[in-house]
Amino acid sequence: MSLCKVVAIFDSFNENHFFRGAIMRINSVKLATATAVYVAAVWVLCSVAIVVAPDALRTISGAMVHLNLSQWAWDMGLDTFVVGLLAWTLFSWVTVWSIVTVYQRLLGGSTYE
């Protein structure tokens, strides 16, 4: 089957089944909240991993940012855990909400649908 036939079949399928001027609307609050919950869960899992295997996580973290972190120490107290959890959760919520809001405005629609 040639590429032209595949494109023609796909175009025909799109015209007959989908996409007839459909614009995808996203609920900015729900997507931001889902993202924030996910980021909070990742923060908790990473914090537990640091407590369980600090040397391995230091090596992995150093490799991720191309640094030698072998001389660095983790500061994983309850205060840093809570501040980090709140900061990353809030930052992710605001970021996703902002992106969806701009997306909706570019479409000419409401930010909450």
Side-chain angles (χ1 to χ4, degrees):
M1 183 179 292
S2 72
L3 181 60
C4 292
K5 286 184 180 180
V6 171
V7 170
I9 291 169
F10 183 72
D11 283 343
S12 172
F13 184 74
N14 284 342
E15 290 175 13
N16 295 325
H17 296 85
F18 296 111
F19 306 130
R20 288 192 191 151
I23 297 174
M24 183 174 177
R25 300 285 178 188
I26 301 171
N27 185 315
S28 58
V29 173
K30 287 183 180 180
L31 184 59
T33 302
T35 303
V37 168
Y38 174 79
V39 167
V42 169
W43 178 262
V44 170
L45 290 174
C46 287
S47 297
V48 168
I50 288 170
V51 170
V52 172
D55 293 334
L57 268 291
R58 187 177 298 109
T59 301
I60 292 169
S61 298
M64 291 170 66
V65 294
H66 309 287
L67 293 173
N68 180 4
L69 301 179
S70 62
Q71 302 301 316
W72 291 30
W74 295 110
D75 183 17
M76 187 53 70
L78 182 60
D79 56 339
T80 57
F81 170 79
V82 171
V83 169
L85 177 66
L86 294 176
W88 280 108
T89 302
L90 180 64
F91 176 76
S92 65
W93 193 98
V94 169
T95 300
V96 171
W97 181 86
S98 299
I99 290 168
V100 173
T101 298
V102 169
Y103 172 78
Q104 301 290 56
R105 297 256 167 100
L106 289 173
L107 291 177
S110 168
T111 60
Y112 186 81
E113 290 188 26

